[in-house]
């Protein structure tokens, strides 16, 4: 959350997602960022306005988020 976001994406932190790898893809399916969740937010201030998908390690679910500004 929030969705749409401007600079950071926040997660409702649960112990089971901490230290998990995340992958962020753009609308074309290109991997644009990856890392390890070591808190409850991911900085996305360098992203262009548009649609993105987040995938967490161990999950098959993609979460759709929209960047404004």
């Amino acid at each position: 959350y929030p969705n749409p976001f401007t600079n950071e994406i926040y997660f409702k932190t649960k112990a089971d997602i901490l230290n998990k790898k995340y992958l962020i893809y753009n609308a074309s399916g290109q991997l644009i960022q990856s890392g390890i969740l070591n808190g409850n937010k991911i900085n996305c201030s360098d992203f262009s306005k548009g649609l993105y998908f987040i995938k967490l390690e161990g999950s098959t679910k993609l979460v759709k988020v929209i960047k404004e500004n």
Side-chain angles (χ1 to χ4, degrees):
Y1 72 91
N3 194 10
F5 69 96
T6 52
N7 291 318
E8 295 177 327
I9 300 169
Y10 292 88
F11 293 87
K12 293 182 180 176
T13 306
K14 296 181 181 177
D16 61 336
I17 69 166
L18 289 177
N19 300 314
K20 296 268 186 172
K21 184 174 183 179
Y22 68 85
L23 305 167
I24 301 178
Y25 300 92
N26 65 15
S28 299
Q30 297 170 306
L31 178 65
I32 57 163
Q33 184 173 317
S34 64
I36 303 293
L37 276 175
N38 56 11
N40 70 336
K41 67 181 176 180
I42 298 173
N43 184 333
C44 301
S45 59
D46 293 338
F47 290 15
S48 300
K49 181 179 177 180
L51 177 65
Y52 296 91
F53 298 93
I54 302 172
K55 183 177 186 307
L56 295 178
E57 176 184 43
S59 174
T60 57
K61 183 177 178 182
L62 288 174
V63 177
K64 180 173 74 170
V65 293
I66 298 170
K67 163 97 190 232
E68 290 185 330
N69 294 10

